[in-house]
Amino acid sequence: MTTSPPTALTIAGSDSGGAAGLQADLRTFLTCGVHGLVAVTAVTVQNTLGVHDRADLPPHIVAGQIEAVAADMGVGAAKTGMLASAEIINAVAAACDKAEIGRDEKIPFVVDPVAASMHGHPLFDDAGLHALRDELLPRATVLTPNLDEVRLLTGMTVKDREGMHTAAVVLHRMGPRYVLVKSGHLQSDPECVDLLFDGSTFVELPGERYPTQHTHGAGDTMASALTAGLAKGMSVVEAARYGKWFVSHAVEHAYPMGAKVGPVSAFWRLAPEER
C-alpha cells in the first residue's frame, strides 16, 4: 500500500478469551479494511465461563492513549466499549473533546454502553452508570445499546418491537444524535430487526435470527463495523446497515469454543487459503 488506510479507534477493555472487547473490535476493523487504534481501559480475566477478575488502567493512561494516537495518526471514527469506572469515563470525555471526537465534533463517536458482561457480571457501579448517562450519551453520534443496556439506562424492560420504538425515543432525549437499539436479546421475535432513530425517523435494519448460542462479541462486532463504516466516510444510516450486514454474517458463521458461549466469527471475511 502506498497510501494510509482509514483509521478507527476503540476505547475498550481487553478480553483474555479473545471473543469480545478490543480484540473483537480490532479484528472487525481489520476485516472491514480499517486500521485499528486502541485505548485500553481495563484488562479482564475471562473465558466462556465468565469474568473472573480485572484490573482497570489509571484514567490518565486511558486519556493519554486517545490523545497520542489522535495527535499523530489521526482518527477517522471512534467507539467505546467497557469503560470500567466514572473516573475513566470522565477522562475519556475530556480526551475526546480535546481530540475533536463527538457528535458535535468532526470525528464521529459511537458509544456502545457496555455495562455488564454477557454472563451478567456488572462492569461498573452506579457512579459509572451516571457518568455514562451524563458525560457520554450527550457526546454520542450513535448510541448502540442492547436490550439489557436499555433497561440499565432507562429502567424500561423491552418485550417487543413497539417497546423498542419507545425506548429509542427515550434514549434519544438523553442526547445522542442517533440511537440504534439492538434486538438480539428479543428471543420472542422470529426475526432480528434492529432499530435506528434520529429523533424524527425510524429505520428498521432487518436480519435473520440464527439458531446458535454462540454470540459472544456480537454487540462489539456490530458497533465496531458501524464505526469502520463511519471511518470510511459512510453516512450514519449507511454505516448502520453495513454494521448489521457484517454482524449478521458473523453470527451465521459463529463457532463453539470453550465450555459455554463461543464467539461470533470474522473468518467469513477472509479469502480461503490456496492449497
Side-chain angles (χ1 to χ4, degrees):
M1 296 181 68
T2 58
T3 59
S4 300
T7 60
L9 168 66
T10 176
I11 308 164
S14 171
D15 171 7
S16 56
L22 66 87
Q23 286 80 3
D25 294 337
L26 288 177
R27 66 171 166 265
T28 301
F29 290 162
L30 174 67
T31 50
C32 289
V34 172
H35 177 85
L37 308 168
V38 182
V40 184
T41 61
V43 175
T44 67
V45 178
Q46 67 173 290
N47 52 25
T48 66
L49 298 172
V51 179
H52 307 289
D53 204 352
R54 86 172 199 231
D56 299 343
L57 270 70
H60 76 279
I61 295 295
V62 178
Q65 293 173 86
I66 297 169
E67 294 170 11
V69 297
D72 176 54
M73 304 169 79
V75 176
K79 73 171 291 287
T80 66
M82 173 187 171
L83 295 176
S85 70
E87 292 77 13
I88 288 177
I89 290 171
N90 291 332
V92 166
C96 285
D97 287 349
K98 186 174 180 179
E100 298 184 283
I101 297 169
R103 59 158 291 168
D104 297 321
E105 304 290 350
K106 66 179 183 179
I107 301 168
F109 190 35
V110 176
V111 174
D112 192 16
V114 180
S117 74
M118 70 169 300
H119 309 285
H121 299 90
L123 297 177
F124 48 56
D125 57 15
D126 286 344
L129 189 59
H130 284 297
L132 178 65
R133 288 196 196 103
D134 296 343
E135 297 297 330
L136 288 196
L137 267 60
R139 288 175 164 85
T141 308
V142 190
L143 176 70
T144 63
N146 62 33
L147 299 186
D148 288 338
E149 291 154 356
V150 166
R151 178 177 49 79
L152 287 169
L153 290 168
T154 68
M156 300 173 58
T157 299
V158 174
K159 298 181 178 179
D160 51 30
R161 293 189 198 179
E162 182 178 355
M164 289 175 62
H165 281 73
T166 302
V169 172
V170 172
L171 288 166
H172 189 268
R173 290 172 182 161
M174 296 182 180
R177 180 170 293 164
Y178 286 80
V179 176
L180 175 57
V181 180
K182 298 176 290 191
S183 64
H185 293 180
L186 197 62
Q187 296 296 334
S188 60
D189 194 324
E191 294 183 274
C192 191
V193 182
D194 300 334
L195 189 66
L196 183 69
F197 181 59
D198 67 355
S200 60
T201 303
F202 292 98
V203 176
E204 290 191 345
L205 306 174
E208 185 174 344
R209 188 175 293 278
Y210 294 99
T212 178
Q213 68 169 350
H214 303 304
T215 57
H216 199 183
D220 302 312
T221 297
M222 182 173 187
S224 51
L226 189 161
T227 304
L230 294 173
K232 294 164 77 169
M234 297 180 189
S235 69
V236 170
V237 174
E238 291 170 334
R241 294 190 189 280
Y242 181 73
K244 180 67 174 182
W245 166 78
F246 189 99
V247 76
S248 293
H249 284 293
V251 173
E252 179 185 10
H253 295 277
Y255 50 85
M257 181 165 283
K260 286 195 174 181
V261 181
V264 300
S265 176
F267 289 126
W268 70 273
R269 287 283 276 170
L270 301 179
E273 294 182 11
E274 295 183 3
R275 296 189 183 277

